[in-house]
Amino acid sequence: MDIDDNTVMSLEAIQTSDRTTLQERKQSLIGHYAQLIVERKDTLAALSDFIVADSYFAKKPFVDALQDYTD
């Protein structure tokens, strides 16, 4: 994101898994999203020290999953 130039660039777009797939993996939707970030942590860390998300992700399981990889 460049505030001065009012531009934003997307790094990647990933289709959300359907409920059946998540149930087969025994994974919640929040867990799925956390896993996507953790899998890309090296790339993301090379670009920025921050992750910005809306309030949907302000849930303990999501935050805990990310914190496990920052310690």
Side-chain angles (χ1 to χ4, degrees):
M1 178 185 306
D2 188 325
I3 294 172
D4 295 330
D5 288 337
N6 295 319
T7 57
V8 175
M9 180 192 269
S10 175
L11 176 65
E12 183 177 10
I14 301 167
Q15 182 70 36
T16 301
S17 294
D18 60 34
R19 289 181 191 259
T20 304
T21 303
L22 291 173
Q23 289 171 347
E24 289 170 357
R25 289 189 212 155
K26 297 182 179 172
Q27 186 177 44
S28 68
L29 192 54
I30 286 286
H32 170 71
Y33 291 137
Q35 179 184 351
L36 292 175
I37 292 172
V38 169
E39 289 172 352
R40 291 153 180 77
K41 66 182 174 64
D42 294 332
T43 301
L44 295 170
L47 298 170
S48 178
D49 293 329
F50 302 98
I51 293 177
V52 178
D54 66 20
S55 62
Y56 175 80
F57 297 97
K59 297 179 178 165
K60 186 169 177 30
F62 182 79
V63 174
D64 287 348
L66 297 185
Q67 284 182 329
D68 286 347
Y69 291 93
T70 60
D71 296 337

